[in-house]
Amino acid sequence: MQFRDLKTQYDRLKTEIDTGIQEVIDSSGFILGKKVNELEEKLAAYVGRKYCVTCGNGTDALQLVLMAWGIGPGDAVFTSDFTYFASAGTSSILGATAVFVDIDKRTFNMDPEHLEVMIKKVKKEGKLKPRVIIPVDLFGQPADYEKIEAIAQKYDMLILEDGAQGFGGSINEKKACSFGDASTTSFFPAKPLGCYGDGGAIFTDDPEMDQMLRSLRVQGRSVIDKYDNQRIGMNSRLDTLQAAVLLPKLKCFVEYELDSVNNIANRYTARLGDKLITPIVPDGFYSSWAQYTVYIESAEKRKEIQEKLKEKGIPTMVYYPRGLHQQSAYAGMSLSNDDYPNTVYATEHVLSLPMHPYLNDEEIDYICKSLLELL
Ligand SMILES: *Cc1c(COP(=O)(O)O)cnc(C)c1O
């Protein structure tokens, strides 16, 4: 059994993916090009944004947006404490200061109340200017944008949605990657919509931002004169081969994979919900189930369960064993566990179960039965 089964998906789409890849090879155009343009149009239309700019990966996508906004030394960029490192590393690398926000225990996403506490704290200290909030759509579920948007407005800040795991989710039909001033996603193979290597995308409704991002992803060059570099940029483009993989994958993602992961999540919850704390999806929210994550009573018990499940051929993962405030790279900030009780609790208790659109009923039942026996 696979934690995330990419092989079954490929078997289903083999003809379309192979044909697309062969077309790219035959054309000898390997970077950007027509297929990438077509993908950008389809992605923008799907999430409901005017523009999509693809790039090298989900980390670069975040960094490119922060660069376009001129984020740097003296700026405070707020993100969830319980997330993949890139949500914070991308502001740090630009010389800005990452500020971590505790999570809501049940949704795993940024707690808006703690966000405001941290903004007030930074303002009171008076050393940094609060500029950007990066909410993360963790495990496939959009963050609480209604509350976060109100806070951003109150403190005159920008919102960058980190939708690396959220692509496909929504709140009241408004799709993930359409929240805030700009949004990003990742096409890392294990993400809800993954390619066969690295890839990422940025979404915005602002035409000037679109042009700026197109310049920044190719060394800051002029959109009109390619030998005039107007600013310092990156080299972060999407390979045409990845677009050839993503085009058919986007189609089946929309047609049946999203439904499938939601059915699987419901089946898990129906079987496990009485015995374990299972994920909740608030009213009006829809998750793309990048992960299905439960709480286990203790870290020791979790370790034992992981080992026993592994013996039964069931892979599980701990996302994430550390909060950002506990990362060695941020040790110099001397942050305290006391400020992040929900993150600390999550790091010690979370367990993610196999989740992908091709998990069948027998496999789900086997996972649930095996897990329940071990509790
Ligand atoms: C995966 C991920 C990223 C980075 O994406 P890459 O394509 O691996 O660079 C950023 N943020 C979150 C929340 C992620 O899960």
Side-chain angles (χ1 to χ4, degrees):
M1 189 187 304
Q2 303 280 315
F3 187 74
R4 193 157 183 98
D5 184 351
L6 301 174
K7 182 71 173 59
T8 304
Q9 184 195 47
Y10 173 64
D11 290 343
R12 291 250 192 126
L13 296 172
K14 190 175 182 335
T15 314
E16 284 148 288
I17 290 177
D18 288 0
T19 307
I21 288 175
Q22 194 58 50
E23 279 169 17
V24 176
I25 295 171
D26 290 341
S27 78
S28 298
F30 294 109
I31 309 280
L32 299 175
K34 232 168 62 189
K35 276 199 197 297
V36 173
N37 295 342
E38 184 189 341
L39 178 70
E40 288 181 343
E41 276 168 27
K42 291 205 163 129
L43 289 168
Y46 175 71
V47 306
R49 285 274 206 200
K50 290 206 180 82
Y51 307 100
C52 169
V53 180
T54 53
C55 61
N57 54 67
T59 306
D60 285 359
L62 292 166
Q63 188 177 328
L64 284 162
V65 172
L66 296 173
M67 286 169 79
W69 287 342
I71 300 304
D75 294 332
V77 178
F78 297 73
T79 195
S80 173
D81 190 41
F82 190 61
T83 176
Y84 182 67
F85 192 75
S87 312
T90 42
S91 58
S92 305
I93 206 167
L94 294 173
T97 301
V99 181
F100 309 129
V101 178
D102 202 13
I103 53 164
D104 177 293
K105 217 169 176 174
R106 291 310 306 277
T107 63
F108 302 106
N109 279 329
M110 174 183 279
D111 170 10
E113 274 171 37
H114 192 244
L115 169 65
E116 189 160 15
V117 168
M118 294 308 281
I119 294 171
K120 282 183 176 159
K121 192 169 163 217
V122 168
K123 280 182 93 81
K124 197 161 159 234
E125 284 168 1
K127 292 192 201 119
L128 302 167
K129 190 175 181 328
R131 292 281 308 275
V132 180
I133 304 165
I134 305 184
V136 180
D137 303 335
L138 205 77
F139 301 157
Q141 182 157 290
D144 188 345
Y145 288 99
E146 198 181 322
K147 288 198 182 130
I148 294 169
E149 274 160 13
I151 294 169
Q153 216 157 32
K154 185 167 164 190
Y155 295 95
D156 194 21
M157 295 169 72
L158 293 160
I159 295 178
L160 165 52
E161 175 189 9
D162 182 348
Q165 300 180 21
F167 189 85
S170 58
I171 306 175
N172 297 324
E173 310 293 316
K174 185 173 161 59
K175 290 260 184 347
C177 296
S178 75
F179 294 99
D181 301 279
S183 13
T184 60
T185 197
S186 162
F187 304 124
F188 181 79
K191 306 282 168 155
L193 178 64
C195 62
Y196 289 170
D198 277 311
I202 305 159
F203 301 91
T204 175
D205 290 320
D206 176 356
E208 282 174 27
M209 181 80 174
D210 171 66
Q211 292 297 300
M212 175 66 96
L213 293 165
R214 286 179 193 283
S215 164
L216 283 171
R217 75 174 170 180
V218 285
Q219 317 283 354
R221 83 180 182 202
S222 158
V223 183
I224 305 151
D225 175 358
K226 71 190 240 185
Y227 295 105
D228 181 25
N229 295 71
Q230 300 178 309
R231 54 186 66 84
I232 308 297
M234 297 175 74
N235 170 27
S236 186
R237 303 164 298 204
L238 189 71
D239 291 348
T240 322
L241 285 170
Q242 301 306 342
V245 171
L246 285 164
L247 282 165
K249 284 188 54 160
L250 174 63
K251 196 159 166 279
C252 71
F253 180 80
V254 176
E255 276 174 9
Y256 58 86
E257 288 190 345
L258 260 181
D259 276 344
S260 174
V261 287
N262 274 279
N263 291 336
I264 292 163
N266 290 340
R267 200 174 175 99
Y268 266 142
T269 302
R271 288 289 305 275
L272 303 171
D274 292 343
K275 291 279 180 342
L276 279 173
I277 298 176
T278 48
I280 57 154
V281 183
D283 272 355
F285 282 64
Y286 186 76
S287 177
S288 59
W289 296 105
Q291 304 296 340
Y292 186 91
T293 303
V294 297
Y295 279 114
I296 303 294
E297 64 192 61
S298 72
E300 300 76 58
K301 184 78 184 168
R302 178 176 68 183
K303 190 156 176 279
E304 181 198 320
I305 287 176
Q306 276 202 290
E307 279 163 12
K308 296 250 166 76
L309 287 178
K310 196 176 167 201
E311 282 165 22
K312 290 171 172 283
I314 301 169
T316 57
M317 302 292 271
V318 173
Y319 292 124
Y320 295 92
R322 279 166 190 260
L324 292 179
H325 80 278
Q326 296 166 316
Q327 292 292 346
S328 302
Y330 291 121
M333 292 168 92
S334 303
L335 298 166
S336 164
N337 276 352
D338 297 346
D339 290 325
Y340 301 98
N342 293 337
T343 293
V344 172
Y345 185 87
T347 60
E348 289 166 356
H349 296 82
V350 286
L351 185 68
S352 299
L353 305 180
M355 178 47 108
H356 59 80
Y358 303 93
L359 210 55
N360 63 42
D361 290 353
E362 291 75 51
E363 287 172 312
I364 302 163
D365 293 341
Y366 176 62
I367 295 164
C368 293
K369 186 169 156 283
S370 307
L371 178 55
L372 290 171
E373 276 169 14
L374 291 168
L375 291 175

